[in-house]
Amino acid sequence: GENVEQHPSTLSVQEGDSAVIKCTYSDSASNYFPWYKQELGKRPQLIIDIRSNVGEKKDQRIAVTLNKTAKHFSLHITETQPEDSAVYFCAASITGGGNKLTFGTGTQLKVEL
Amino acid sequence: GAGVSQSPSNKVTEKGKDVELRCDPISGHTALYWYRQSLGQGLEFLIYFQGNSAPDKSGLPSDRFSAERTGGSVSTLTIQRTQQEDSAVYLCASSLRSQGVYEQYFGPGTRLTVT
């Protein structure tokens, strides 16, 4: 089955700096890669996603890149703000296979003032 | 509109007891997923439904775990003879369909503690 690894497990940045979180996946059939943000005690919420036929996607301060050959994808947050502090999870799925998500183990991002 | 809801929000039970966790998906969503989140861990897939059918139960940890969905809406996850290692947050998610690119919307979860 699919295995998703995520690094780093914790990340501390100064407000205004950029943050990068990296994930690798094992199943070359995976074709959908969402990123979820989970604030303490709250439900995970989708912040951005990318399909395998796209190499990069941006949404304001957030961007995701995908390298299918290397089977890795990354989340980039620019101009970080304190409200970006949360746990971020990457995930992978096969959209034709029920779309069950295989998650990475999460990155605790702390944005310091 | 209303999001995914789950009940109870917290459940404390004694080892060996059975528990039922409930999920109400977003109206009109035909796909429903159950995940488990252990302390400090990522989310682990358990089972998903398309309508009332469960095409993939591969994530259920043991035969003590079962789930059903009726009327294409509400789902219940049942854990029989609970063990301490079952302690976790159980999250439900729903999406419009299980085939294709559709966002999964998560519920608030049920925190299960087995003493």
Side-chain angles (χ1 to χ4, degrees):
Chain A
E2 175 66 281
N3 182 54
V4 177
E5 294 189 357
Q6 181 172 350
H7 299 281
S9 57
T10 61
L11 179 59
S12 183
V13 300
Q14 295 292 314
E15 183 180 9
D17 286 350
S18 296
V20 180
I21 303 170
K22 299 182 179 182
C23 290
T24 61
Y25 61 99
S26 61
D27 190 344
S28 56
S30 290
N31 59 354
Y32 176 63
F33 307 92
W35 286 86
Y36 283 84
K37 175 183 180 182
Q38 187 176 31
E39 297 178 17
L40 189 62
K42 296 191 175 180
R43 70 190 74 189
Q45 292 195 307
L46 181 73
I47 54 171
I48 194 167
D49 56 13
I50 190 167
R51 306 182 196 186
S52 60
N53 59 349
V54 175
E56 183 175 2
K57 183 177 179 180
K58 288 184 180 180
D59 183 3
Q60 300 182 346
R61 298 186 295 109
I62 295 174
V64 58
T65 58
L66 170 66
N67 182 327
K68 283 195 302 180
T69 303
K71 296 208 279 289
H72 66 69
F73 56 114
S74 301
L75 178 71
H76 304 253
I77 306 174
T78 58
E79 301 171 23
T80 53
Q81 300 168 4
E83 52 265 38
D84 294 331
S85 295
V87 179
Y88 292 80
F89 292 98
C90 63
S93 75
I94 303 171
T95 58
N99 212 13
K100 66 179 183 183
L101 298 173
T102 301
F103 285 86
T105 50
T107 296
Q108 174 76 61
L109 174 64
K110 183 177 181 181
V111 180
E112 298 177 334
L113 298 173
Chain B
V4 178
S5 61
Q6 292 185 246
S7 60
S9 55
N10 281 284
K11 177 71 175 178
V12 180
T13 190
E14 293 181 351
K15 177 181 172 181
K17 300 283 189 181
D18 298 352
V19 294
E20 276 193 1
L21 312 180
R22 176 187 169 110
C23 173
D24 279 271
I26 293 171
S27 178
H29 280 194
T30 64
L32 187 149
Y33 302 80
W34 283 98
Y35 296 91
R36 178 169 73 173
Q37 186 171 30
S38 301
L39 186 63
Q41 299 297 309
L43 287 80
E44 172 191 19
F45 167 79
L46 299 177
I47 184 173
Y48 91 90
F49 291 88
Q50 175 57 48
N52 294 333
S53 300
D56 191 341
K57 307 177 184 180
S58 63
L60 295 178
S62 74
D63 58 8
R64 296 186 295 105
F65 287 72
S66 63
E68 65 174 14
R69 189 179 185 197
T70 55
S73 181
V74 172
S75 176
T76 55
L77 177 69
T78 301
I79 309 174
Q80 296 179 311
R81 305 180 302 282
T82 52
Q83 304 294 312
Q84 287 188 331
E85 60 262 30
D86 299 335
S87 297
V89 176
Y90 289 82
L91 289 158
C92 170
S94 72
S95 68
L96 200 57
R97 291 180 183 82
S98 62
Q99 303 298 317
V101 180
Y102 296 100
E103 178 178 351
Q104 291 186 27
Y105 296 83
F106 282 84
T110 293
R111 181 175 298 279
L112 175 65
T113 303
V114 182
T115 62

